[in-house]
Amino acid sequence: MHLLQAVLAATASAVLSGATSPPATSPSLAAFSYNRTGFFLHGKPFVIIGGQMDPQRIPYDFWPQRIVAAKAMGINTIFSHVFWNEMEPEKGKWKGKEPANNVNDFVSIAKKEGMYVVLRPGPYVGAERDWGGLPYWLSRIHGLKVRRYNEPFLHATKKYFARLARDLARFQVTRGGNIIMVQLENGDSSYRGDMQYKQALRNITASLFDVPLYTADSGESLQPEDGKIPHALSAAYDGPQGARVRDEAIADTPSPGPLLDGDAYISKPLQYGSAAHHHETQDEPGLVKSYLGNVHKALSANKSLNLYMLHGGTNFGLSAGSLSTGNRTMPWTNSHYAGSPLDEAGRTTPLYHLLRSEILKHVPDASGIPDPPENEPLMATEAFHLKPYGSILDTVAHTKTRQTPEYMENLKQSQGLILYEHRVQKPARGTLRAGDRPRDRIIVYVNNRRKGTIDSFYTRPAAVDLSLNKGDLLQLLVENAGRASSSRVDDPFKGINGTVTVGDSVVVGWKIRQVPCKEPPLLKSPLVGSIQKGIMPVYYSGRFKVPGLGEGEPFSLRDTYLTIRGGTRGIVWINGFNLGRYWIVGPQQSLFLPGALLKPGRVNRVTVLEMKPWNVSLVARGETAMRWENHPDRDAPP
């Protein structure tokens, strides 16, 4: 055993045994501490007026503007998730210095503005993120079980936290910085409430960070009772109800600590679906009244809270997860908490100003709070056409052969599409069955022509009946629509694994092609042939020019909402950056396109992978507002 392996093994053993358990109180916590009724910052009473915004959902160039806007609303503390799967997308490949992941800079900007930070690093965070923020490669580690008292998982978590602490521990308030607390896990009680796991996680975190630790659980039923961890503050969300349940659950705790509404909801996430209608928050006066009432009750009693989400931001690329119930997968939209006080483009909304007015009533000295920023206009563009330039079959980089299909995780693929192809050796008739269930959307082709779709978006996916002759090419294209962000986190696998049958015939012998969709392909020749109904997915491409910026003008003056017309479902890239998915069923019909991704005064390239091509061209346009619409899903089962 190498020395490093021996050290890590010894560390894991100590963690599992609980040997590093911290005392109930520690002098290092004096910079930020709490008693039964309140928090104390450098010995003075401190009420946390928090707002949730996640730096990895916001373009790096816009972090200062978003933080200043939070400060202007009366917020004094930013709560931030950290997504492990973005920091370490492949095992051992740390990406913390990339702009979108440089949490150090985010914390530094907050400190410069006099703002404090609460870190929420997980390892599981939920938050409508793919696999709740866990990296896909954990599923490849033998014997690993996530969110459990499991040595492989704790070993991986220890390494992740240690690498995060190497960058962020110096920003703790105990060392002159502005990080005042670190959250352990997230909503663990609703999942399992494994106390051994939580104690081990507490010990790992306490060995790396000096500031107080806390947990956050729903105020429903006995979840705060299941979620509490010794020597960590218990926070509950769900407003007054959560506070009441939390107090009942921890009544026998020696130092229960003050009330903190860890997620004081002021907006809602959205899923794709014909019936998933978007409603502007300001158009729901009952909701607005309840949001304001919760803030008033908390701050009037000097109780702390975290407004969730203050700024929802964007699940760029394929980073959004799904809500999985039973065998059904319902993907979250790219637009995250679109009804937040700061909208997806970072502009203030009527809800922002209502909440600001309420918060300022409870701030003893508002002289240091700046005026709200002026909302900059968004950019509109002329419509421009996207022309087909390649089939998905022309762009596959990786090909493997297997007797039976395998999950994409087993093939070291995190996201995107995977294509399984079989050359028929003998005739087969009957219903296609592929693995235990669709994971998530199986588009069935024979000889490059679509025969049907088996979609886990529906409780009872459509059946696809086939009649295969010798020499036919059976093709199963599987789309990963996002791993479960809650509930079914024990089952992150996507694609097809195991036996495929057509009627009574077992189909053996497959060629597997991987399409991760991280960047669009570069093809030198245009697509040959016309766009015909039922063909395999096609790449489209088009260009548009953006006006230049004057000296000192911000990139945000080129923010826009990109709308694609003429397509059904697909993925969009701008200048090679994966912007996200679109799906005509809605409710989201546009994708937020930050000006920081554009080239002012120059030509910009839009690439689209259309999953169900039927038009000779698509039409794209930059608009000044998000477009919300719903349409029927023509692939829905009868």
Side-chain angles (χ1 to χ4, degrees):
M1 180 182 290
H2 294 296
L3 177 59
L4 177 59
Q5 291 175 317
V7 170
L8 290 172
T11 301
S13 176
V15 166
L16 291 170
S17 67
T20 60
S21 177
T25 58
S26 170
S28 66
L29 304 185
F32 185 78
S33 59
Y34 58 84
N35 61 16
R36 179 65 182 87
T37 59
F39 292 103
F40 296 88
L41 181 63
H42 302 300
K44 297 180 180 179
F46 183 76
V47 175
I48 298 174
I49 306 176
Q52 183 80 28
M53 62 170 67
D54 304 325
Q56 291 159 298
R57 285 183 166 122
I58 307 167
Y60 175 86
D61 303 80
F62 298 161
W63 288 354
Q65 183 271 339
R66 304 297 197 266
I67 290 173
V68 169
K71 181 178 181 179
M73 192 171 132
I75 300 297
N76 59 29
T77 305
I78 302 293
F79 285 64
S80 294
H81 291 302
V82 179
F83 305 123
W84 184 1
N85 56 5
E86 299 288 342
M87 306 298 284
E88 193 179 7
E90 299 292 340
K91 186 178 181 182
K93 296 183 179 179
W94 189 255
K95 301 292 185 179
K97 296 303 180 184
E98 292 187 353
N101 297 329
N102 197 338
V103 184
N104 301 29
D105 282 3
F106 186 83
V107 175
S108 295
I109 295 167
K111 187 175 189 297
K112 181 181 177 182
E113 294 298 332
M115 304 281 280
Y116 296 95
V117 172
V118 171
L119 281 183
R120 310 180 74 178
Y124 163 87
V125 299
E128 295 74 49
R129 206 67 171 181
D130 184 70
W131 208 13
L134 295 169
Y136 89 97
W137 51 261
L138 290 176
S139 66
R140 295 176 46 81
I141 298 176
H142 179 71
L144 186 145
K145 301 291 184 182
V146 301
R147 306 186 76 189
R148 296 187 188 181
Y149 184 73
N150 169 270
E151 186 164 355
F153 181 58
L154 289 168
H155 181 74
T157 299
K158 170 75 174 181
K159 293 181 70 174
Y160 160 52
F161 274 25
R163 185 62 187 82
L164 200 63
R166 189 189 308 175
D167 292 337
L168 294 175
R170 61 193 174 97
F171 291 105
Q172 295 175 102
V173 69
T174 51
R175 306 181 192 184
N178 57 328
I179 297 176
I180 57 174
M181 286 201 300
V182 175
Q183 182 179 344
L184 301 170
E185 253 275 351
N186 191 37
D188 179 72
S189 61
S190 60
Y191 178 67
R192 181 173 290 105
D194 183 338
M195 182 57 75
Q196 280 187 300
Y197 160 59
K198 290 183 292 188
Q199 287 180 322
L201 183 62
R202 177 206 62 198
N203 295 342
I204 290 172
T205 313
S207 71
L208 297 166
F209 292 94
D210 305 330
V211 293
L213 310 177
Y214 80 103
T215 64
D217 293 280
S218 170
E220 297 177 3
S221 185
L222 296 176
Q223 288 191 16
E225 171 69 27
D226 295 334
K228 68 182 181 182
I229 304 175
H231 312 306
L233 174 69
S234 290
Y237 31 99
D238 296 331
Q241 173 189 328
R244 176 182 56 78
V245 175
R246 188 215 76 141
D247 270 1
E248 293 174 358
I250 63 172
D252 59 345
T253 304
S255 301
L259 287 173
L260 167 64
D261 190 341
D263 288 331
Y265 289 104
I266 51 173
S267 52
K268 301 175 182 178
L270 280 172
Q271 297 161 336
Y272 283 109
S274 297
H277 302 294
H278 169 73
H279 300 281
E280 293 292 343
T281 305
Q282 56 263 30
D283 295 335
E284 301 184 70
L287 271 180
V288 173
K289 184 178 180 180
S290 69
Y291 295 156
L292 292 172
N294 286 344
V295 172
H296 176 81
K297 289 177 183 177
L299 298 184
S300 294
N302 289 325
K303 307 300 182 186
S304 296
L305 80 169
N306 170 37
L307 299 178
Y308 196 95
M309 300 278 298
L310 171 60
H311 175 46
T314 308
N315 292 313
F316 288 111
L318 307 180
S319 62
S322 65
L323 179 64
S324 295
T325 57
N327 288 331
R328 190 179 177 194
T329 301
M330 296 167 283
W332 300 104
T333 60
N334 290 81
S335 181
H336 188 244
Y337 280 80
S340 299
L342 288 174
D343 69 14
E344 191 173 1
R347 274 63 173 179
T348 62
T349 66
L351 180 61
Y352 173 97
H353 294 282
L354 288 171
L355 287 166
R356 181 178 189 269
S357 296
E358 181 59 46
I359 289 171
L360 293 190
K361 294 175 185 176
H362 307 281
V363 176
D365 181 9
S367 59
I369 297 176
D371 292 332
E374 293 289 333
N375 284 341
E376 296 164 343
L378 278 80
M379 179 184 69
T381 72
E382 295 291 331
F384 57 98
H385 289 274
L386 308 175
K387 298 293 185 179
Y389 80 102
S391 165
I392 194 172
L393 293 175
D394 301 326
T395 66
V396 179
H398 307 288
T399 303
K400 297 178 175 65
T401 56
R402 297 288 191 274
Q403 283 297 97
T404 58
E406 291 188 28
Y407 291 134
M408 63 170 56
E409 291 80 4
N410 295 345
L411 302 173
K412 297 185 178 181
Q413 181 179 343
S414 172
Q415 298 173 335
L417 309 167
I418 189 164
L419 175 63
Y420 305 91
E421 295 182 315
H422 169 78
R423 184 67 68 178
V424 177
Q425 300 301 311
K426 59 181 180 179
R429 307 285 186 274
T431 301
L432 171 74
R433 302 198 182 281
D436 59 342
R437 62 182 177 86
R439 299 164 178 257
D440 296 306
R441 193 168 188 257
I442 304 174
I443 312 174
V444 184
Y445 301 85
V446 176
N447 301 326
N448 300 330
R449 287 294 185 269
R450 186 174 60 248
K451 298 298 180 181
T453 302
I454 307 171
D455 196 343
S456 67
F457 187 78
Y458 299 98
T459 304
R460 296 180 180 177
V464 176
D465 294 324
L466 298 175
S467 178
L468 301 176
N469 299 314
K470 184 177 180 179
D472 283 345
L473 182 63
L474 173 62
Q475 300 155 300
L476 307 180
L477 181 63
V478 184
E479 177 185 359
N480 173 359
R483 296 177 182 84
S485 57
S486 58
S487 301
R488 185 185 281 155
V489 295
D490 278 336
D491 188 4
F493 299 102
K494 298 299 181 181
I496 300 171
N497 188 69
T499 304
V500 174
T501 60
V502 176
D504 296 329
S505 301
V506 177
V507 182
V508 178
W510 293 86
K511 181 167 68 175
I512 304 174
R513 303 186 181 196
Q514 296 173 254
V515 191
C517 298
K518 292 182 180 179
E519 58 275 320
L522 298 175
L523 298 178
K524 295 182 180 179
S525 58
L527 181 70
V528 177
S530 61
I531 299 297
Q532 299 175 1
K533 183 178 180 180
I535 66 172
M536 297 198 75
V538 167
Y539 288 95
Y540 291 73
S541 180
R543 299 182 179 188
F544 69 106
K545 193 170 183 179
V546 173
L549 289 170
E551 186 176 351
E553 288 188 318
F555 281 114
S556 53
L557 287 174
R558 297 294 171 259
D559 289 350
T560 189
Y561 287 97
L562 186 67
T563 302
I564 307 293
R565 290 297 193 185
T568 300
R569 179 178 177 130
I571 299 170
V572 180
W573 292 265
I574 176 72
N575 295 328
F577 177 85
N578 192 324
L579 203 60
R581 309 176 193 266
Y582 65 91
W583 189 10
I584 197 171
V585 301
Q588 180 177 347
Q589 297 292 343
S590 311
L591 290 170
F592 173 53
L593 172 49
L597 295 176
L598 296 173
K599 302 172 183 177
R602 297 166 59 190
V603 170
N604 295 267
R605 185 184 185 94
V606 174
T607 306
V608 168
L609 174 59
E610 169 58 45
M611 299 296 294
K612 193 178 179 182
W614 56 276
N615 264 329
V616 294
S617 71
L618 307 180
V619 178
R621 184 196 312 270
E623 300 181 337
T624 58
M626 173 68 81
R627 186 184 291 271
W628 302 104
E629 296 172 7
N630 290 91
H631 301 279
D633 181 10
R634 295 182 180 179
D635 290 329

